[in-house]
Amino acid sequence: MTVKAHQPLQRDRSTALGVAPAGSRRERSAPEVSFIICTRNRVAVLDACIKSVQAACRAHSGFAAELVVVDNGSSDRTAECLASIADMSDIPFTAICEPRPGLAAARNAGLRRARGRVLVFVDDDCAVHCDYLRDLERHYASGEQWLIRGGRVELGDPRDLPFTIKRSRVGERLTPDVHPGGFVLGCNMTMHRDVAARIGYFDERFGAGGPLRSAEDTDYLVRAMLLGIPVEYVPDMTIFHHHGRRDRKAIEKLHRDYSLGNGGLCLKHIRHAPWLLRHFYWAARGALRELAGGPAFDRELNLSHWPIVAMNLLGAARFAVLLLARRPQAEPMRQDQQANAQAR
């Protein structure tokens, strides 16, 4: 598996990842794909997620895979569960602990440890389709590899409300006309490790558990676009999302959290991606139309435009405070981590 040659692009040094040089030991011995699963206090669903990945790996064993599970400071039995799974796993398995809170910090810990040429992010409340690896290999073997690619996200339990899913059966590329939030979901997001190295670490101000609560994956997509890296959705590479939200309060809270992160996103990229403001304008226009009896943001769930507008503004204000406080985007890579990245 190779990546097409490209001219070097300027990248943010504060989020730069180390990449092993061609011909190194890491390139000869690394698995083809690394599944990165971040978890916090979800031991009840984590086992099913890991078993689904293991089953997909066995179903397509010719495409060598490993599992990297990041425990983001759990206080339940997650550590014991992972130790037990590691002892029994027939798939290469690495469990690591990242005590700093936040999904972005956990994703970054997984990036540092993963050895595969292709990186796959799967949430701990998801189950992977048994043909996932077959689909993944087909895309990376015959299609363009210098991109971020995400697949279909189906509802895992029909009792859960239809949110945080993507069921489109039409493949497409992300453009500024489409809001990047939800175009490719962070629970089913893949990229070649060289793409991750070009983009850098996830911004730890975003994401669940961080100050802005969400949008660490959306921020990653925007940064990819600004580097000229396409973002592609494909209607296969399916996972099933068992998010467990069955009442409106849970969905409305998530709706507000997503909007908070997107507000911070707009301010962060206002200079280089001003087209994000267009989506805020559309939300504000939709909110005003609701006052006159216009349609809601989500008609099926009856979610309003108004929380989007209010939380976008709050998210932008919170990002401004973080910027003034000079909160770092990500923990700088230490010298020993840089050495390990080059030695793999």
Side-chain angles (χ1 to χ4, degrees):
M1 184 180 299
T2 59
V3 173
K4 297 177 182 179
H6 286 261
Q7 289 295 108
L9 297 177
Q10 186 177 4
R11 50 189 170 142
D12 184 349
R13 293 181 181 273
S14 67
T15 57
L17 284 166
V19 181
S24 70
R25 180 182 175 187
R26 189 205 67 78
E27 283 294 325
R28 294 194 298 270
S29 61
E32 293 293 331
V33 58
S34 294
F35 285 93
I36 301 173
I37 303 171
C38 302
T39 188
R40 178 179 171 84
N41 291 334
R42 280 183 170 174
V43 69
V45 296
L46 179 60
D47 184 60
C49 174
I50 292 174
K51 284 180 178 177
S52 75
V53 174
Q54 291 172 326
C57 293
R58 296 187 198 104
H60 195 51
S61 58
F63 198 46
E66 68 168 358
L67 281 76
V68 177
V69 183
V70 183
D71 180 1
N72 193 205
S74 297
S75 57
D76 58 8
R77 295 184 58 257
T78 295
E80 294 89 334
C81 175
L82 293 179
S84 175
I85 293 172
D87 289 339
M88 302 294 292
S89 181
D90 56 344
I91 309 298
F93 186 98
T94 301
I96 59 178
C97 179
E98 174 49 76
R100 292 181 302 120
L103 179 55
R107 290 194 193 275
N108 289 338
L111 280 175
R112 294 184 184 101
R113 187 60 63 92
R115 300 180 301 122
R117 298 187 184 196
V118 175
L119 309 174
V120 180
F121 289 95
V122 177
D123 281 2
D124 58 0
D125 57 356
C126 294
V128 173
H129 191 282
C130 62
D131 290 332
Y132 190 97
L133 270 180
R134 195 178 308 277
D135 295 335
L136 184 77
E137 183 183 29
R138 184 181 67 255
H139 285 296
Y140 278 93
S142 61
E144 184 181 358
Q145 297 170 354
W146 196 260
L147 46 68
I148 292 179
R149 180 179 283 124
R152 191 161 78 246
V153 180
E154 290 282 357
L155 201 62
D157 189 325
R159 294 174 296 176
D160 296 344
L161 292 174
F163 204 61
T164 62
I165 56 175
K166 181 158 184 174
R167 291 169 161 168
S168 173
R169 297 188 177 276
V170 179
E172 56 183 332
R173 293 280 178 97
L174 180 61
T175 69
D177 292 331
V178 178
H179 194 285
F183 182 84
V184 164
L185 299 181
C187 64
N188 187 6
M189 183 169 68
T190 77
M191 67 199 76
H192 195 282
R193 67 178 300 110
D194 290 348
V195 171
R198 181 67 57 82
I199 300 170
Y201 288 132
F202 288 86
D203 188 334
E204 294 178 8
R205 295 169 293 195
F206 293 86
L212 292 166
R213 302 182 193 170
S214 69
E216 87 293 338
D217 49 354
T218 309
D219 173 68
Y220 214 74
L221 302 184
V222 173
R223 288 160 56 193
M225 293 180 70
L226 293 176
L227 289 171
I229 298 171
V231 177
E232 178 181 69
Y233 167 79
V234 294
D236 51 12
M237 283 173 40
T238 304
I239 65 102
F240 301 92
H241 197 180
H242 297 262
H243 62 72
R245 297 178 180 90
R246 298 171 186 174
D247 62 86
R248 283 195 54 80
K249 286 186 178 180
I251 296 299
E252 287 171 350
K253 180 183 183 304
L254 196 60
H255 182 47
R256 292 193 300 270
D257 286 350
Y258 284 165
S259 299
L260 182 79
N262 286 332
L265 193 76
C266 283
L267 186 57
K268 176 182 177 179
H269 296 291
I270 192 169
R271 181 179 176 186
H272 298 292
W275 45 268
L276 288 170
L277 293 174
R278 182 190 315 163
H279 302 288
F280 173 76
Y281 164 74
W282 287 337
R285 186 176 65 177
L288 292 174
R289 287 181 174 178
E290 278 188 52
L291 294 177
F297 169 74
D298 187 315
R299 298 184 187 186
E300 184 175 4
L301 295 173
N302 195 30
L303 296 175
S304 172
H305 289 90
W306 283 104
I308 299 176
V309 175
M311 297 304 287
N312 275 182
L313 293 173
L314 180 59
R318 185 168 295 184
F319 183 85
V321 172
L322 293 170
L323 202 61
L324 291 172
R326 298 185 179 276
R327 177 166 178 141
Q329 297 181 36
E331 180 187 57
M333 180 175 277
R334 302 189 305 267
Q335 290 184 352
D336 60 330
Q337 292 170 336
Q338 292 175 335
N340 288 338
Q342 295 296 326
R344 287 175 185 166

